[in-house]
Amino acid sequence: MKNIILLGPPGAGKGTQAARLVEARNMVQLSTGDMLRAARTSGTEIGRKVAAVLDAGGLVTDEIVIGLIEEKLAQDGHGGFIFDGFPRTLRQADALGALLTRTGLTLDAVIELVVDDTALVGRIVKRAEDAKAAGQPVRKDDTPEVFQVRLQEYYKNTAPLIGYYWAKGDLRQIDGMAEMQAVADQIASVLDKA
Ligand code: AMP
C-alpha cells in the first residue's frame, strides 16, 4: 500500500491521473473537491455551508476538509490512498501528517504535476465543454473568471507546499504537460521506486 499526494494547480490533471491509478492499482482516490460537491448536491449541512465558496473559487475552511479526510482514512485504503486536491494549505499538510501518524500510515511520495499556467485555462474551458457535450453536469467554477480566483488561491495557499514537502524529502516533480499516458508512466515510475 502506497499513499501519495497529487499536487498541482487546477486543471493540471490530478483527477484524471488519480482515476487511472484507481483502475490500475486499486488505489482509493480521496478528492476533497468531489466530496464537497457531493455534499452540496445531497444538501447536507456541510454542503449548504460551502456552496457559495465553491462557486466563487475560494477555499473552504481547513476544519471542514480535514474532517472529511479523517472520516475517509478510517476506511480501507486497498492499494493506497491518493490525496487529490488535499492538502491545499500548510495547516492541512500538518494535519494530514498527524492523521497519518495516528492511523499508522505512511506518506510515500508527493507528486507535483508541473504545468504551464497559460495552458491551464484552456484545459478548464475544455473540461466544461466536454462535460456539456457528454450531458454531464458542468462545474460552476470551470469558467475563465472563477479559474483566475482558483489559480490565485493555489499560488497563495497551496504552492508553499512544494517547498514544505521538498524540505521533507518527499517531493517528486514530473512533467504534467506531457501526453496523458506519458504522465501516467512517470507517476508509475515514482510509485514503483517509493
Ligand atoms: P477541486 O475539485 O479540487 O478543484 O476543488 C473544487 C473546490 O473545492 C475548490 O475550489 C475549493 O473551493 C474546494 N476545495 C477542495 N479541496 C479543498 C481543500 N483541500 N481545502 C479547501 N478547499 C477545498
Side-chain angles (χ1 to χ4, degrees):
M1 171 176 192
K2 291 196 179 148
N3 305 306
I4 60 166
I5 295 173
L6 291 181
L7 196 60
K14 302 184 294 292
T16 304
Q17 293 299 329
R20 295 180 67 128
L21 290 169
V22 169
E23 272 293 306
R25 296 183 182 239
N26 194 28
M27 293 176 81
V28 174
Q29 178 185 8
L30 298 184
S31 157
T32 40
D34 285 349
M35 293 174 209
L36 293 165
R37 280 185 291 275
R40 181 196 189 166
T41 309
S42 53
T44 63
E45 197 192 329
I46 288 183
R48 283 196 302 275
K49 255 191 217 165
V50 302
V53 180
L54 288 187
D55 289 349
L59 293 187
V60 313
T61 65
D62 290 331
E63 286 69 25
I64 288 179
V65 287
I66 292 165
L68 290 172
I69 288 287
E70 189 170 9
E71 255 174 53
K72 299 283 177 182
L73 285 185
Q75 297 167 13
D76 188 353
H78 297 282
F81 289 110
I82 308 158
F83 298 98
D84 161 13
F86 178 91
R88 256 180 163 91
T89 65
L90 290 167
R91 231 187 106 213
Q92 292 175 22
D94 278 339
L96 177 63
L99 278 175
L100 290 174
T101 305
R102 186 156 26 107
T103 38
L105 296 170
T106 51
L107 180 60
D108 297 287
V110 177
I111 303 176
E112 184 200 356
L113 303 181
V114 180
V115 289
D116 168 7
D117 286 352
T118 55
L120 293 176
V121 68
R123 286 190 180 190
I124 291 281
V125 168
K126 184 168 182 306
R127 175 159 76 190
E129 284 168 1
D130 288 350
K132 202 170 167 195
Q136 290 163 356
V138 178
R139 285 176 56 167
K140 270 197 188 161
D141 59 351
D142 274 351
T143 65
E145 296 73 27
V146 180
F147 175 77
Q148 290 308 326
V149 178
R150 292 162 63 203
L151 195 60
Q152 285 294 319
E153 290 288 358
Y154 176 78
Y155 280 108
K156 195 168 150 191
N157 296 297
T158 311
L161 300 187
I162 296 168
Y164 174 97
Y165 285 118
W166 177 81
K168 284 182 185 284
D170 293 334
L171 189 71
R172 305 287 176 269
Q173 291 176 305
I174 65 166
D175 175 13
M177 294 308 291
E179 288 298 317
M180 211 183 278
Q181 183 58 48
V183 176
D185 292 345
Q186 294 177 76
I187 293 176
S189 146
V190 169
L191 266 166
D192 292 338
K193 284 184 207 139

